[in-house]
């Protein structure tokens, strides 16, 4: 490029480059310098993109002892800034500039790139390698920011960036690799899909206070995302559209504290098969309209839904199916609207609150070691009876075992008795009748000594009856004195001999009464023995 062909602002930039000095073309008038007024800027603020390209690829040698750089502010850049496949060894720093055409940095090797508070009709940096920081703070980018396959060895700063590409990809970051932190905070917004599938972040991923808008699809699509440290989607984070973190891995903790997600009748937060090394916080005002799913997720610490608001009236509002977590804190601000699916989850400590239980649950296969609070058996049975799938034996067995491990044996037996009664409702009429008799007599073996009251009642009944009707004597030799109490007791005892039954024999209807007492005594005695043995074996 011939220096004689340069305009005055271009010549200033050309001369400043060897020393890395800044060239500021702004007027100092905030109203005039507003990027929305760029069409009114005169030629004194226009720089051709080809001049920037020439400087960046080596048209001018750096001054010895100085660090050459393109540092430009307040300019309108015309033409196409095309650095595709270029080797750029000097920094590029543009502040408060506006572009007529989207810059093309695809597969370029850059030193560091700062495009701060700029306005761009797009930025194509697919496959770009940046040895340093990519700083886009405060910029407005329409038409899409393409960073798919890019590799940034420093920080990716998109604080305050506004991305606009309705119905398309606002940020295309498939397989993006950033060695340090990624900042999408301080007013970051995206109208369109933010894509980070397969992306790798070596530090923290920060969406604090971000606003994502893509109601017809995914607001954030980050399946298989790998973040070495923490992920922050809090501090006023909002999204209209689905948040997809399926198969993602977070090396620190994941925070959705106070976040507001909306994807009506769809999945507001899909964190299936997520792996988090510490805790997950969907708490303290977190709200989701649409399903929240942690199915198959692995959380080394706590998954907290304290004071959360979950709503999905037509289906599952919360799914932790097959979740593995040290602790699940399920004390929502209000009862979950929709189904809460806890089936086949494995949790060491389940902390909940009866006041916030959802009306519909799925509990089959749920494993937990401790409940906090344990509550009474009657309260926990109300919890089990909310299962939309109806009777299943495992939830009762698990709850009873938990009570026994806490030393609450009576509550454990009450749960198993409820299990037998609920199972009876699923059986045919003959088994229902047998079960009903078992329940009345001995509470299905979980109330084994209930039969003793029946025995006492029969003993009193027989004593009264045979007090008014003395049975006939069978053997007149050495006849003992008749005692109605001992006689009835002799009839009741299935084994042993008190010397009354073999000597006295009633007739008529009293013979049938005696046979009834003998039969009932046999059945009740065996039931007491079986029930007591069963209770002792459980101990």
């Amino acid at each position: 490029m011939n220096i004689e062909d340069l305009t005055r602002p271009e010549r200033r930039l050309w001369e400043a480059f060897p020393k890395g000095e800044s060239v500021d073309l702004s007027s100092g008038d905030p109203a005039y310098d507003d990027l929305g007024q760029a069409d009114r800027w005169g030629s004194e603020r226009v720089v051709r993109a080809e001049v920037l390209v020439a400087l960046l690829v080596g048209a001018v040698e750096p001054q010895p002892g100085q660090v050459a750089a393109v540092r430009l502010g307040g300019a309108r850049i015309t033409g196409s800034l095309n650095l595709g496949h270029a080797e750029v060894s000097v920094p590029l720093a543009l502040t408060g500039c506006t572009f007529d055409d989207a810059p093309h940095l695809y597969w370029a090797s850059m030193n560091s790139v700062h495009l701060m508070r700029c306005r761009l009709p797009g930025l194509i940096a697919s496959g770009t390698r940046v040895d340093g920081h990519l700083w886009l703070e405060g910029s407005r980018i329409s038409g899409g920011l393409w960073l798919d396959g890019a590799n940034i060895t420093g920080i990716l700063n998109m604080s305050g960036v506004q991305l606009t590409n309705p119905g398309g990809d606002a940020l295309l970051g498939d397989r993006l690799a950033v060695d340090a932190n990624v900042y999408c905070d301080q007013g970051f917004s995206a109208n369109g899909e933010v894509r980070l599938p397969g992306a790798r972040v070596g530090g923290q991923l920060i969406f604090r206070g971000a606003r994502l808008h893509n109601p017809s699809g995914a607001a954030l699509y980050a399946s298989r995302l790998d973040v070495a440290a923490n992920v922050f989607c809090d501090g006023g984070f909002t999204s209209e559209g689905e948040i997809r973190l399926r198969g993602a891995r977070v090396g620190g903790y994941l925070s959705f504290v106070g976040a507001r997600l909306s994807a009506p009748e769809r999945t507001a937060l899909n964190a299936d098969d997520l792996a988090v090394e510490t805790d997950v916080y969907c708490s303290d005002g977190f709200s989701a309209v649409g399903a929240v799913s942690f199915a198959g997720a692995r959380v080394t610490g706590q998954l907290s839904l304290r004071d959360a608001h979950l709503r999905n009236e037509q289906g599952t509002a919360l799914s932790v199916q097959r979740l593995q977590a040290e602790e699940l804190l399920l004390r929502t601000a209000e009862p979950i609207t929709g189904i809460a699916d806890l089936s086949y989850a494995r949790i060491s400590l389940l902390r909940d609150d009866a006041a916030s239980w959802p009306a519909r649950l799925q509990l089959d296969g749920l494993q937990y070691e401790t409940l906090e609070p344990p509550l009474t058996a009657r309260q926990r049975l109300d919890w089990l009876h909310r299962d939309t799938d109806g009777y299943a034996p495992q939830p009762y067995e698990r709850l009873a075992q938990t009570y026994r491990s806490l030393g609450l044996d009576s509550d454990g037996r009450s749960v198993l008795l409820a299990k037998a009664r609920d199972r009876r409702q699923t059986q045919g009429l003959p088994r229902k009748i047998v079960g009903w008799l078992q329940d009345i007599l001995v509470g299905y073996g979980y109330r084994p000594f209930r039969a003793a009251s029946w025995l006492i009642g029969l003993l009193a009944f027989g004593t009264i009856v045979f007090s008014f009707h003395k049975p006939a004597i069978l053997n007149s030799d050495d006849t003992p004195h008749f005692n109605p109490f001992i006689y009835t007791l002799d009839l009741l005892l299935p084994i042993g001999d008190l010397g009354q039954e073999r000597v006295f024999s009633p007739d008529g209807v009293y013979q049938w009464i005696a046979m009834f007492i003998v039969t009932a005594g046999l059945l009740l005695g065996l039931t007491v023995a079986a029930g007591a043995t069963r209770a002792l074996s459980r101990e």
Side-chain angles (χ1 to χ4, degrees):
M1 175 172 286
N2 191 338
I3 192 171
E4 300 299 328
D5 296 331
L6 300 178
T7 64
R8 182 177 178 183
E10 292 171 348
R11 185 184 295 271
R12 287 180 58 191
L13 181 63
W14 195 275
E15 293 173 349
F17 171 80
K19 295 182 180 181
E21 295 177 343
S22 297
V23 174
D24 187 2
L25 302 181
S26 60
S27 67
D29 181 355
Y32 185 63
D33 290 336
D34 184 270
L35 297 182
Q37 305 294 322
D39 290 341
R40 298 171 52 195
W41 295 352
S43 59
E44 75 281 1
R45 300 185 64 172
V46 174
V47 175
R48 290 172 293 167
E50 60 184 290
V51 176
L52 301 180
V53 172
L55 292 173
L56 291 170
V57 297
V60 177
E61 291 292 327
Q63 183 171 317
Q66 302 292 328
V67 178
V70 173
R71 305 184 191 278
L72 178 62
R76 175 183 175 185
I77 300 172
T78 60
S80 176
L81 180 64
N82 192 337
L83 291 167
H85 301 281
E87 294 282 342
V88 179
S89 59
V90 297
L92 170 62
L94 305 178
T95 304
C97 295
T98 181
F99 288 78
D100 286 357
D101 298 314
H104 289 71
L105 310 180
Y106 53 87
W107 294 103
S109 179
M110 309 290 293
N111 182 277
S112 67
V113 178
H114 286 208
L115 302 177
M116 298 178 60
R117 300 188 301 279
C118 293
R119 174 171 290 186
L120 306 92
L123 175 59
I124 301 172
S126 303
T128 300
R129 176 179 176 83
V130 179
D131 290 318
H133 305 319
L134 176 54
W135 214 271
L136 303 174
E137 183 176 355
S139 292
R140 298 182 180 183
I141 304 174
S142 59
L145 169 59
W146 293 10
L147 295 175
D148 51 310
N151 191 328
I152 302 167
T153 63
I155 293 172
L156 172 56
N157 188 341
M158 293 188 285
S159 296
V161 169
Q162 298 180 27
L163 303 176
T164 306
N165 193 21
D169 297 330
L171 170 61
L172 181 63
D174 301 39
R175 304 176 309 282
L176 169 66
V178 180
D179 291 350
N181 295 342
V182 175
Y183 295 93
C184 300
D185 58 353
Q186 298 182 20
F188 175 91
S189 66
N191 187 349
E193 184 171 327
V194 174
R195 293 183 53 86
L196 293 171
R200 179 182 60 80
V201 178
Q204 300 186 124
L205 176 58
I206 303 170
F207 275 96
R208 183 161 285 158
R211 291 173 287 114
L212 309 183
H213 181 84
N214 191 33
S216 62
L220 173 60
Y221 181 26
S223 297
R224 305 180 312 282
L225 171 70
D226 188 345
V227 180
N230 306 316
V231 176
F232 298 96
C233 296
D234 51 18
F237 177 90
T238 63
S239 74
E240 295 182 62
E242 301 179 27
I243 302 293
R244 299 179 185 173
L245 297 174
R246 183 164 189 169
R249 190 193 76 83
V250 179
Y253 60 85
L254 172 61
S255 174
F256 277 96
V257 171
R260 296 181 178 274
L261 315 182
S262 177
E265 300 181 5
R266 293 182 290 134
T267 303
L269 174 58
N270 184 343
D272 294 354
D273 302 315
L274 172 73
V276 178
E277 294 303 319
T278 55
D279 303 320
V280 177
Y281 301 103
C282 294
S283 58
D284 301 294
F286 171 86
S287 69
V289 178
V292 172
S293 179
F294 286 91
R298 180 181 61 81
V299 180
T300 303
Q302 178 191 84
L303 171 56
S304 174
L305 290 152
R306 182 186 63 190
D307 293 332
H309 302 262
L310 305 178
R311 177 178 295 274
N312 189 29
E313 297 181 5
Q314 304 304 318
T316 299
L318 172 66
S319 174
V320 291
Q321 187 184 65
R322 298 178 289 103
L323 168 74
Q324 297 181 50
E326 185 66 23
E327 179 182 340
L328 175 59
L329 179 52
L330 196 55
R331 295 176 179 173
T332 53
E334 58 187 5
I336 296 171
T337 303
I339 298 172
D341 185 357
L342 281 71
S343 57
Y344 301 100
R346 300 177 64 88
I347 303 159
S348 296
L349 172 61
L350 174 58
R351 300 171 62 189
D352 60 2
D353 183 355
S356 63
W357 285 345
R360 295 177 290 169
L361 286 162
Q362 290 181 339
L363 300 171
D364 191 23
L366 172 63
Q367 297 283 343
Y368 48 86
E369 296 179 9
T370 306
L371 291 169
E372 185 183 307
L375 301 178
T376 64
R378 177 171 296 185
Q379 289 172 303
R380 282 294 171 187
L381 286 171
D382 175 49
W383 182 58
L384 296 186
H385 289 154
R386 297 173 185 235
D387 197 321
T388 59
D389 292 334
Y391 171 80
Q394 187 274 339
Y396 295 86
E397 295 285 352
R398 178 68 260 174
L399 181 57
Q401 184 178 346
T402 299
Y403 276 130
R404 289 197 297 269
S405 68
L406 295 172
L408 303 174
D409 301 315
S410 176
D411 285 308
R413 289 191 294 271
S414 296
V415 170
L416 293 176
L417 174 58
K419 170 196 168 188
R421 288 172 174 170
D422 292 342
R423 180 173 180 268
R424 184 175 71 211
Q425 303 304 316
T426 67
Q427 297 176 327
L429 182 59
R431 289 193 175 185
K432 281 184 177 179
I433 294 173
V434 173
W436 179 75
L437 291 173
Q438 288 180 316
D439 193 2
I440 292 177
L441 295 176
V442 288
Y444 282 98
Y446 299 106
R447 299 288 186 267
F449 298 107
R450 181 183 293 179
S453 62
W454 289 100
L455 288 171
I456 293 172
L458 285 172
L459 181 60
F461 172 72
T463 300
I464 294 171
V465 168
F466 293 115
S467 293
F468 292 101
H469 178 81
K470 178 181 176 180
I473 299 174
L474 291 175
N475 186 356
S476 61
D477 297 335
D478 193 21
T479 303
H481 175 72
F482 177 75
N483 186 308
F485 175 82
I486 297 177
Y487 177 72
T488 304
L489 185 60
D490 205 1
L491 293 174
L492 284 171
L493 293 176
I495 57 175
D497 184 5
L498 299 181
Q500 296 274 315
E501 183 182 1
R502 58 185 171 81
V503 175
F504 300 98
S505 175
D507 57 5
V509 67
Y510 297 99
Q511 185 177 20
W512 288 102
I513 292 175
M515 290 179 61
F516 169 73
I517 293 175
V518 170
T519 304
L522 176 63
L523 292 176
L524 288 172
L526 292 175
T527 302
V528 168
T533 301
R534 185 175 178 181
L536 290 172
S537 67
R538 287 196 302 272
E539 298 299 324

